[in-house]
Amino acid sequence: MVASCVSIGRGDSPRHATSIASAEKDPFIKTRDGMNVLGLVAFSLALGGVIAKMGEKGRPLADFFNAFNDATMRLVGIVMWYSPIGICFLIAKKVLEMDDLETMFSQLGLYMATVLSGLAIHGFVVLPLIYFVLTRKNPFMFMYNMLQAMLTAFGTSSSSVTLPVALQCLEERNNIDPRVSRFIMPIGATVNMHGTALYEAAAAIFIAQSKGVSDRLGVGDYIIISITATLAAIGAAGIPQAGLLTLVMVLTAVGLEPDVSLIITVDWFLDRFRTMINVWGDCIGAGIVQHLSKKELAEDSEKQATSHQNGHANSAYNIVESVRL
């Protein structure tokens, strides 16, 4: 656990080993300085699952981690008050280091176009197609009814702030059962950050290209970027620009310098689009669950209605009996 915080292990087959002795000099497993983020995330998931299964015995440990998380978030909140000043100097330093401003700005433009194109394909092709295949309903009418929630997400850059508006649109305009929407949406606002995951993967590759080290990334590194971006996005808070914090984890996982100063200048703009896609994906999930759970919801409603009628009947019977006595 401690070693994973300060070093990263990776396989590297000895190409020129002609004997066991030479292979030992060039071992298969090599380490480099840096934090093994993927290993820590996997360990944290396993530990969290075990603590949840322990029940009351694991509650003290769970309370400790919750308190530690709250303390960390308060520290982050304090730092964020001073972040505009620091970000200003970071951007100024990065601009002064640029040899060719025109080339750098064109690269940033292509980076923005890549991210926006990926989000557009995911939000307007992939998600509607999944909704149509599973429900056989018009996804664009569903999207039209969620327009207010999506515009709120675009304006606030926060999934958590958009949650009440999204619930209202789902229940009043798309006729989603409150038992479904109020179960799916809070979970989705916390863990369903697919727009953020897509953005972090593209941002990590762009940073590697801008620093001229993309040639060092192999297939395994791209797989690690994809997995780490997905897991890191799950842990991202539903607040504006939270993806920048988890992007540092993605960069560290593949041994890149965690320098996000270059993309800070455009992150505030891209954050609005990825938040909108995050909320749209949550709504799609609620609509699919509603369609697939129609039978169970109807049965549960019948049981509730029957128990309600029986309760009224028992109350009336008790009143009659009390009058007789």
Side-chain angles (χ1 to χ4, degrees), residues 93-105 210:
K93 174 179 177 291
K94 185 61 63 175
V95 170
L96 291 174
E97 290 177 350
M98 293 178 183
D99 296 327
D100 189 348
L101 286 177
E102 183 179 355
T103 301
M104 184 54 65
F105 282 125
S210 65

Side-chain angles (χ1 to χ4, degrees), residues 15 22 24 52 100 123 177 240 308 313 325:
R15 300 174 182 173
S22 61
E24 290 177 352
D100 189 348
D177 194 296
H308 189 65
L325 294 175

Side-chain angles (χ1 to χ4, degrees), residues 76 80 83 87 90-91 111 196-197 199-200 203-204 207 232-233 236-237 239-252 258-271 274:
V76 171
M80 287 182 67
S83 61
I87 290 172
L90 280 174
I91 295 174
Y111 160 69
T196 303
Y199 156 80
E200 289 179 352
I207 291 174
I239 58 176
Q241 294 186 289
L244 278 179
L245 299 176
T246 52
L247 176 59
V248 173
M249 299 172 56
V250 179
L251 295 172
T252 306
D259 182 9
V260 297
S261 57
L262 181 62
I263 63 174
I264 286 179
T265 53
V266 296
D267 182 76
W268 64 272
F269 180 70
L270 297 176
D271 185 37
R274 64 177 184 259

